[in-house]
Amino acid sequence: MRYEEFTLEGRNAVIEAYRAGKTIDKLFVLEHCKEGSMNTVLREAKKHDTVINYVKKERLDQMSETGKHQGVIGYLAAYEYATVDEILDKAREKGESPFVILLDDIEDPHNLGAIIRSAEAFGFDGIIISERRSAKVNSTVYKTSAGAINNIDIAMVKNINRAIKEIKKENFWVY
């Protein structure tokens, strides 16, 4: 397992993280904002004993990596990368042949988030990314995935070619 810490921006991203059982250590919320989906954010935060800090818009703008915080930024405990074996074993436990995507040189976090969203929609068991020359899971990826990242495992490997050779030994077809 490998862990990456990051911020989470946007109301839906925060709500989906709570629903997926993720731990949000701290929330920064726009002061005097309690309408619409912000009520859901605040209710979930209280239910999970998250520390809530009410701040001015300027402070949120300074903290934001994406510029699209929607009045809320959360500090996620950490993203936990799976291993390739964990992805394969989880699929086999369901009685299925593993169905994974291997990504090489996907450097734009928006593209990675969109691929994660599509992979989850099409029923993939996991995604394998390379450690170098690849976008890592961060707030942009999380937001772009629209919560799908909570439902699919991602493994990070040092060498994508070696990972391909290893899974081919287990009778995988690689396209």
Side-chain angles (χ1 to χ4, degrees):
M1 297 281 172
R2 196 174 296 152
Y3 298 93
E4 299 277 335
E5 293 183 337
F6 64 96
T7 59
L8 197 55
E9 299 184 31
R11 297 174 187 190
N12 289 332
V14 170
I15 292 167
E16 287 300 320
Y18 279 126
R19 288 182 178 156
K22 304 292 182 192
T23 301
I24 299 176
D25 293 328
K26 196 181 300 184
L27 272 184
F28 291 87
V29 177
L30 181 63
E31 60 185 3
H32 310 300
C33 183
K34 294 183 180 179
E35 81 282 339
S37 58
M38 188 61 83
N39 287 325
T40 306
V41 169
L42 295 172
R43 185 174 50 252
E44 290 294 323
K46 288 176 184 166
K47 189 181 347 177
H48 292 89
D49 294 323
T50 304
V51 175
I52 302 171
N53 297 300
Y54 293 95
V55 296
K56 296 185 183 302
K57 183 181 183 311
E58 295 78 23
R59 177 73 174 119
L60 287 174
D61 291 342
Q62 289 172 346
M63 296 169 64
S64 178
E65 293 175 22
T66 66
K68 299 175 183 170
H69 53 74
Q70 298 174 319
V72 62
I73 295 177
Y75 280 87
L76 209 59
Y79 180 78
E80 184 178 337
Y81 287 98
T83 65
V84 174
D85 289 335
E86 288 171 339
I87 291 172
L88 302 181
D89 291 343
K90 196 184 248 185
R92 289 183 184 122
E93 286 173 11
K94 294 189 285 186
E96 302 173 355
S97 295
F99 194 37
V100 299
I101 297 177
L102 290 112
L103 302 175
D104 194 20
D105 292 337
I106 304 296
E107 296 178 355
D108 184 348
H110 292 95
N111 289 343
L112 180 57
I115 292 168
I116 291 168
R117 191 173 62 240
S118 297
E120 192 258 347
F122 287 111
F124 280 84
D125 296 302
I127 297 172
I128 301 170
I129 62 173
S130 60
E131 193 172 89
R132 291 183 287 143
R133 296 184 317 275
S134 178
K136 310 293 185 276
V137 173
N138 62 20
S139 57
T140 303
V141 172
Y142 205 102
K143 185 165 181 58
T144 308
S145 80
I149 197 166
N150 296 312
N151 304 319
I152 192 164
D153 290 324
I154 301 172
M156 186 184 298
V157 296
K158 289 187 184 289
N159 186 315
I160 203 84
N161 290 329
R162 190 175 304 133
I164 291 170
K165 288 177 185 174
E166 290 298 317
I167 64 171
K168 281 175 108 175
K169 288 179 187 175
E170 298 194 35
N171 295 324
F172 267 74
W173 287 19
V174 179
Y175 294 96

